[in-house]
Amino acid sequence: MPMEDEVSAHAPDVDDPAGRPRLLVWQDELNASPGYHAIALMDYIRRIGYVFQGNVAQYNALVAQVQDPTHVLAAFDISNPRAHDELLSEVERLLHNVLMALSTRIDQQRVFLKEHFSTDTALTAEYSARIKSDFDGYAPAAFLRGLRNYLTHHRLPVAQSRQTFSKQSFSVTFVLLRQPLLEWSRWNSDTRGWLAAQDDELEIVPMVDSYARIAGGFDKWLHERINLKYAAAIREYEEAADAFNREWDQAFGL
């Protein structure tokens, strides 16, 4: 990626020819510096991940909420089936958001790498290797990506709740029925084979949770890898920014 000229840690001595105050000239130089650009790249990776992780957090919050019998028992009242249908509708809405964000994260990261790091063969090779080791090693990852296509282009997956309770405990989870999923013709052969080998009810909650943990670790690695690549430029920017802030505070009596 092309890098701009280095920026000094000291303010310009004079205003620019257009008469702009030197602090604004200095601020523009800082914002055009390689270090500032590198920090912006890392922030973008964080934001891509946040969209996905935020949707997963909402999904998990509902799962946590229904573990409270006082909150959820009304949804299992057989005299009021609509309450249970509404619960499943909310589960499906949140799962939809998770899967859309999952796909968005993948697509946007690919575009990001191509746009900013296509000439960095070392980083792109590490990126590809990490995808293979982190995601290809988790079998449900391909299923979740395919489930997004199933949901988008075919139908909502058939979701059900499953309750486990005794005198001492109560728990609720959500499952997808395998057979309706297998009726879709557009699974690739590997995913179809994996799906056919699963139980009749797929426990979707731990799949989403595990994928989110893997994605979070991957995004943290990418963030840190970009930081390593531009460590010197970021350090120079931070030193210059500290000097700018001191002069800004002095100028305005802060």
Side-chain angles (χ1 to χ4, degrees):
M1 179 170 56
M3 303 294 279
E4 297 86 345
D5 294 337
E6 292 183 354
V7 61
S8 171
H10 304 287
D13 293 331
V14 296
D15 296 347
D16 72 356
R20 296 175 70 245
R22 66 190 183 91
L23 277 175
L24 293 183
V25 175
W26 191 11
Q27 186 177 53
D28 288 346
E29 291 180 356
L30 285 171
N31 291 344
S33 70
Y36 181 89
H37 183 56
I39 291 170
L41 294 178
M42 292 191 297
D43 283 345
Y44 190 67
I45 288 296
R46 179 190 58 77
R47 286 158 51 203
I48 292 173
Y50 177 81
V51 171
F52 173 61
Q53 297 293 345
N55 279 291
V56 172
Q58 289 184 345
Y59 184 72
N60 285 338
L62 177 62
V63 173
Q65 190 177 46
V66 298
Q67 306 312 310
D68 180 358
T70 61
H71 175 82
V72 77
L73 283 180
F76 299 117
D77 183 349
I78 60 173
S79 67
N80 183 20
R82 183 178 180 85
H84 187 249
D85 289 345
E86 289 175 348
L87 173 62
L88 292 184
S89 292
E90 181 64 1
V91 170
E92 289 172 339
R93 181 184 74 83
L94 294 174
L95 179 60
H96 166 277
N97 292 348
V98 166
L99 296 174
M100 294 302 112
L102 181 153
S103 181
T104 297
R105 175 191 164 276
I106 293 170
D107 291 342
Q108 291 198 7
Q109 275 196 7
R110 286 174 179 165
V111 171
F112 174 85
L113 261 290
K114 183 177 180 180
E115 180 177 350
H116 297 286
F117 297 101
S118 60
T119 60
D120 188 335
T121 55
L123 192 152
T124 54
E126 289 176 42
Y127 178 85
S128 297
R130 285 291 301 234
I131 288 178
K132 186 174 181 61
S133 64
D134 290 5
F135 293 97
D136 290 359
Y138 180 58
F143 166 71
L144 290 173
R145 293 194 299 270
L147 185 62
R148 179 266 181 192
N149 295 331
Y150 176 96
L151 185 152
T152 303
H153 304 297
H154 185 52
R155 59 161 295 167
L156 293 172
V158 179
Q160 292 187 347
S161 63
R162 188 169 70 198
Q163 306 86 46
T164 303
F165 56 89
S166 67
K167 291 182 179 179
Q168 291 79 32
S169 65
F170 175 87
S171 66
V172 177
T173 192
F174 300 101
V175 299
L176 304 181
L177 299 185
R178 182 190 61 166
Q179 189 54 43
L181 293 170
L182 283 171
E183 292 170 2
W184 192 45
S185 64
R186 294 176 60 183
W187 298 107
N188 65 42
S189 58
D190 289 343
T191 303
R192 177 173 290 278
W194 176 86
L195 186 56
Q198 303 307 303
D199 293 336
D200 291 339
E201 296 180 349
L202 280 72
E203 296 192 5
I204 187 65
V205 174
M207 287 188 205
V208 167
D209 199 43
S210 294
Y211 187 98
R213 287 198 301 272
I214 294 170
F218 182 93
D219 294 349
K220 183 175 185 291
W221 166 80
L222 182 57
H223 187 279
E224 292 175 348
R225 182 62 178 79
I226 295 171
N227 182 70
L228 178 63
K229 177 180 175 67
Y230 297 116
I234 291 171
R235 183 167 54 252
E236 183 177 345
Y237 165 78
E238 290 174 342
E239 290 173 355
D242 286 343
F244 172 85
N245 289 334
R246 287 194 297 271
E247 186 149 344
W248 180 277
D249 290 348
Q250 184 177 5
F252 290 97
L254 299 177

